[in-house]
Amino acid sequence: MEDQPRTGPRRRLQYVDPLRNPRNAPVRQRNLRGWILLLCSALLPGSAQSVLGARRRARLSLTITLGSWALLLGLALWSLFSRRLLLGFGTNPVLIAVLMVWVVIAAANWVLCMLDTVRRIRLVSLGRRTRGGLLAAALVMVLVVCGGTVWGTSMLNSQRALISDVFANGRGVKPVDGRYNIALFGSDAGKGRTGVRPDSLSVVSIDAKTGKSVVIGVPRNLENVPFPDGSEMKKAYPNGFNCGDECLINAVYQAGEQHKKLFSGDVPAGVQATKQALQGVTGLPIQYYAMIDLKGFQQLIDAMGGITLTSKVRVPISSKVNPATGRHGKPLGWIEPGENIHLDGRSALWYARSREFASDYARMVRQRCVQEAMLKQMDPTTLIGRFQDIAKAAPNVVSTDIPEGQVNMFVDLALKAKSQKMDRLNLTPPLITPSRPDIGKIHSLVGDAIAQAESDAQSAGSPLNARPDAYEALAPAGSGQAAAAAPAGAQDVRAASTSSTGKQKDDASICSVS
């Protein structure tokens, strides 16, 4: 008997696609699908749209996403092969501006993809508990990304403004004899004082490859300062700056301003004149300068959250100068000695500047301790947490003629220098008499200090030929092996660590930074 055909309506087949058509899938599958799509959209914006068939929208979103991942991967690989190139990317205002725009585009793409994914998941098709959890997770991620974008672009904009405001335009210069020599001075244009007068003067000589540095401290009361041949100040003062007590090296700035017609360029005439004076004293070609405004210095320290150092001396916080006597009155307070004392901006400024009951040498040492504390404590955590405050304060504190194009190189050198001990040479009594300086002897001492630093840098790279550190080689007498290891020139340089009374005195007996 033949089979009889079935009668009545045929049952329609149900097509179930767990991703694109989950309408007839169990609730558990729909919940799992929602979480998978949300995770895909969070990790790779545009991927959920591609899976769900919105190819045109997915193409644009995936292009932006993959471009962002490629940029991050490229920067990571770049940092492995050349830290200086990576720093160049982070210190170029134009590239920073481009990066800011890209961050905003990438974030907007991420947020739009996330919101579109939530719409396509169809929350009403999910279980009640899953529905609330997924929506909450999506909103939290959107808020995190939006907040991170605002914070990131703000940081990038602060970085761009910092580079543009502090550093100069123009092309950089090459090192001379493998070294960069930078003049550092703090301006002291206080009330009752005529114009800018450098309150502290020094030259930092940096090896262009290793970052090994020598700091040459120049007393502000140095007299009979010569100027290099062919310089503008040599034309104005052919016999040097030699008019007695009125012609100290810290007065060269105003002398340069009085002869500003001799100078050209955007750098103030006083700065150029002071650079020429330091070049004449040290015998080193001075390529750049950096000036710290001591008024703004307090603001920068506060922006950092203060500094910490160990002080072995008691430093007065002086009162105002009496116009009749020219002396300070009774101290308003004291910065007491102690280990790891914390100084805010006002206290750090007084610690660096106070000159009562102390020699110029001791004051120079305190200034250097403050500078070292700032460098050592300017770590990544401090920079990230307080970057905007620091960036806001820096343009009011620092001025320099280092061009934007060489910022990355000097940041790289600064990182190298930070990992090494910095050699010091102080041109103070009894080594040098400020009123009658022996310029030939100073040039010889500077040459010996630099030669010693270069030798130490070369030896540091070879464990078999390791030599005592420069700090040991220049230590006070009584260090035994260190004294024997020091070359003949270093014997004179060691005397730089003496007080104005001629008594041997180590820097650590005044202050130190751990």
Side-chain angles (χ1 to χ4, degrees), residues 485-496:
Q491 302 295 331
D492 288 332
V493 177
R494 186 186 302 115

Side-chain angles (χ1 to χ4, degrees), residues 70-90 412 415:
L71 178 62
L72 290 175
L73 180 61
L75 291 176
L77 293 175
W78 208 353
S79 65
L80 294 177
F81 293 102
S82 177
R83 181 174 64 181
R84 184 172 294 183
L85 288 177
L86 181 64
L87 291 172
F89 185 90
D412 186 46
L415 293 174

Side-chain angles (χ1 to χ4, degrees), residues 44-263:
L44 193 66
S47 58
Q49 283 71 24
S50 178
V51 169
L52 296 176
R55 300 296 174 83
R56 182 177 297 178
R57 176 172 294 182
R59 191 177 296 115
L60 176 60
S61 296
L62 285 173
T63 299
I64 296 174
T65 300
L66 295 177
S68 301
W69 281 112
L71 178 62
L72 290 175
L73 180 61
L75 291 176
L77 293 175
W78 208 353
S79 65
L80 294 177
F81 293 102
S82 177
R83 181 174 64 181
R84 184 172 294 183
L85 288 177
L86 181 64
L87 291 172
F89 185 90
T91 55
N92 187 303
V94 176
L95 294 179
I96 293 175
V98 172
L99 182 61
M100 287 173 57
V101 174
W102 185 263
V103 168
V104 172
I105 292 174
N109 174 65
W110 192 97
V111 171
L112 291 175
C113 285
M114 179 62 67
L115 296 178
D116 184 66
T117 299
V118 172
R119 180 182 67 86
R120 293 176 184 274
I121 288 174
R122 292 176 58 90
L123 293 177
V124 294
S125 67
L126 305 180
R128 182 174 298 177
R129 296 180 61 182
T130 302
R131 188 186 312 166
L134 190 144
L135 181 60
L139 290 177
V140 168
M141 286 189 287
V142 168
L143 290 175
V144 169
V145 170
C146 289
T149 301
V150 172
W151 179 83
T153 53
S154 178
M155 292 279 286
L156 288 172
N157 188 56
S158 296
Q159 171 76 352
R160 181 196 58 78
L162 175 64
I163 299 298
S164 299
D165 292 343
V166 172
F167 297 95
N169 297 319
R171 301 177 61 181
V173 298
K174 295 181 179 180
V176 177
D177 297 328
R179 304 190 73 83
Y180 283 103
N181 304 302
I182 303 174
L184 298 179
F185 35 92
S187 65
D188 191 20
K191 185 176 181 180
R193 311 193 73 169
T194 305
V196 174
R197 293 202 307 177
D199 193 53
S200 62
L201 295 159
S202 58
V203 175
V204 180
S205 183
I206 310 170
D207 189 293
K209 291 183 178 180
T210 66
K212 183 66 176 179
S213 304
V214 178
V215 180
I216 304 162
V218 180
R220 61 189 179 87
N221 61 339
L222 198 69
E223 299 180 22
N224 301 313
V225 176
F227 298 105
D229 293 336
S231 64
E232 290 84 353
M233 289 301 284
K234 183 73 172 182
K235 298 176 183 178
Y237 299 92
N239 298 320
F241 205 52
N242 62 352
C243 60
D245 294 344
E246 296 298 321
C247 287
L248 307 179
I249 191 171
N250 73 334
V252 171
Y253 192 105
Q254 287 304 311
E257 289 293 316
Q258 293 171 5
H259 296 84
K260 63 174 56 180
K261 292 183 179 179
L262 297 174
F263 297 90

Side-chain angles (χ1 to χ4, degrees), residues 365-385:
V365 173
R366 295 201 311 267
Q367 290 174 349
R368 192 164 55 241
C369 282
V370 170
Q371 293 169 359
E372 287 187 11
M374 291 178 65
L375 290 175
K376 288 189 175 183
Q377 293 160 35
M378 191 77 77
D379 53 27
T381 302
T382 301
L383 281 175
I384 293 174

